[in-house]
Amino acid sequence: MNNLKRYGWELALAALLVIEILGFGAANSQMLNINVLLFSTSDFICIGLVALPLTMVIISGGIDISFGSTIGLCAITFGMLFQAGVPLPLAIVLTVLAGTVCGLINAALILYTGINPLVITLGTMYLFGGSALLLSGLAGATGYEGIGGFPDSFTNFANLSVLGLPVPLLFFLFSVLLCWAWLHNTHQGRNVFLTGQNARAAQYSATPVNRTLFLLYAMTGFAASIAAILQVSYFGSARSDLGSAFLMPAITAAVLGGANIYGGSGSILGTALATLLVGFLQQGLQMVGVPNQISSALSGALLIIVVVGRSVSLHRGQIRDWLRRTQAAWQR
């Protein structure tokens, strides 16, 4: 019973996911094909890779909206390194380092200026995005072509399957396991929740708040770099706009998964399920012939409905008291 109460939201998301797949499957039987389901995740699963560390940032009371630009910057950096003749393994390491540095820059600016994380990461979103466009222009990779010419061994990587599962999905599942184990089963993970509940009190209780935040934002940058490399492999070209569509779906997955935008609570498992829920919603709507504009609007409506529903469920007592007081006032 305790586990049922503890994971109630995750179970609700899992049930919604099953209903969603069955519903779209009734309209288009291809949606029930296991291979179609598994390999269609490659179109959106990289969103989940950045949504996982983003969830932890939100739990800590912060926010990062620059990860989409970080993905674009890492993608074009990777392409330029390859173009300059840097061996692929070294180019991957340097790209991951660049993404991590972007995350550390966010953390440093937030901590040492005291400015709201939303404002700081809004600024770095334009900084990283502008830098990506600048590098793209210098490399002559403007437009949709980007930097190509990668070896087949690299471009085929994101399309491989291991044990019947596509490689991007395996990266995601491994990340879910790693983030869940770290956040919910380690002392450092508990520090994330304490920081989000009350950062000042956490500091007074000797919680390493600054170190925790540096780690979380670095993890977001790291995840963005991995997503960039997988995207370059999947599409076969390095472009500065590869992360432009990641912002809203990743935030939606984190909030829909149960992360409190004010900090202090959230769930890695919830974010993982919400990523699949939002991703399959987009895929299912496309398969039944719904235009992209309408599917985006429906995704936004889903977020609003579910967040309002969750808020109502969490504050049932206060709502009941308010209704009683309102009823009593009307009866006077």
Side-chain angles (χ1 to χ4, degrees):
M1 181 62 73
N2 287 336
N3 284 335
L4 185 62
K5 185 176 180 181
R6 181 181 177 184
Y7 294 107
W9 185 247
E10 288 84 352
L11 290 171
L13 288 173
L16 281 173
L17 180 60
V18 172
I19 292 169
E20 178 183 82
I21 292 172
L22 292 176
F24 284 124
N28 187 334
S29 59
Q30 282 295 310
M31 193 68 180
L32 298 178
N33 185 312
I34 188 65
N35 287 324
V36 171
L37 276 178
L38 288 176
F39 285 91
S40 66
T41 58
S42 297
D43 292 334
F44 63 81
I45 207 66
C46 284
I47 292 170
L49 285 178
V50 290
L52 296 172
L54 178 64
T55 297
M56 295 189 281
V57 169
I58 293 174
I59 292 172
S60 73
I63 188 66
D64 183 356
I65 61 171
S66 69
F67 56 84
S69 296
T70 303
I71 291 172
L73 179 58
C74 288
I76 204 67
T77 298
F78 179 69
M80 289 186 70
L81 289 169
F82 171 76
Q83 199 176 53
V86 177
L88 274 179
L90 180 57
I92 290 171
V93 171
L94 292 175
T95 301
V96 169
L97 182 61
T100 305
V101 168
C102 288
L104 291 172
I105 289 172
N106 281 333
L109 290 172
I110 290 166
L111 289 170
Y112 294 116
T113 64
I115 299 174
N116 189 290
L118 179 63
V119 177
I120 291 293
T121 56
L122 177 63
T124 55
M125 178 180 75
Y126 286 107
L127 173 64
F128 301 153
S131 300
L133 287 173
L134 177 62
L135 291 176
S136 183
L138 291 174
T142 55
Y144 290 101
E145 295 81 10
I147 299 173
F150 295 97
D152 291 342
S153 58
F154 175 73
T155 54
N156 290 335
F157 178 72
N159 297 296
L160 294 175
S161 62
V162 179
L163 301 176
L165 298 175
V167 165
L169 181 59
L170 284 174
F171 268 84
F172 175 68
L173 294 175
F174 177 75
S175 299
V176 170
L177 181 62
L178 198 63
C179 290
W180 176 83
W182 183 81
L183 181 66
H184 296 289
N185 296 281
T186 67
H187 183 70
Q188 286 181 317
R190 286 192 292 274
N191 289 341
V192 176
F193 288 98
L194 291 173
T195 301
Q197 288 163 4
N198 192 320
R200 188 179 294 274
Q203 280 184 323
Y204 288 142
S205 64
T207 299
V209 172
N210 289 4
R211 190 171 66 196
T212 299
L213 293 179
F214 265 110
L215 180 59
L216 293 178
Y217 283 95
M219 288 169 67
T220 306
F222 175 85
S225 67
I226 297 298
I229 293 167
L230 286 174
Q231 289 282 93
V232 172
S233 174
Y234 186 64
F235 291 109
S237 67
R239 305 197 313 266
S240 60
D241 65 340
L242 282 182
S244 59
F246 276 52
L247 180 59
M248 289 313 298
I251 293 176
T252 299
V255 176
L256 188 60
N260 186 340
I261 57 172
Y262 299 108
S265 64
S267 165
I268 291 297
L269 183 57
T271 296
L273 290 167
T275 298
L276 297 175
L277 187 68
V278 173
F280 283 131
L281 175 64
Q282 297 283 347
Q283 293 287 331
L285 290 172
Q286 289 176 14
M287 290 180 74
V288 297
V290 176
N292 284 336
Q293 298 88 336
I294 297 177
S295 66
S296 297
L298 289 174
S299 297
L302 172 68
L303 174 63
I304 293 171
I305 292 169
V306 175
V307 169
V308 170
R310 179 169 170 77
S311 180
V312 169
S313 69
L314 290 174
H315 300 92
R316 287 192 300 268
Q318 294 94 318
I319 293 172
R320 225 178 276 118
D321 292 341
W322 177 80
L323 289 173
R324 285 200 203 96
R325 288 196 300 270
T326 303
Q327 187 179 12
W330 276 103
Q331 288 174 349
R332 286 179 188 150

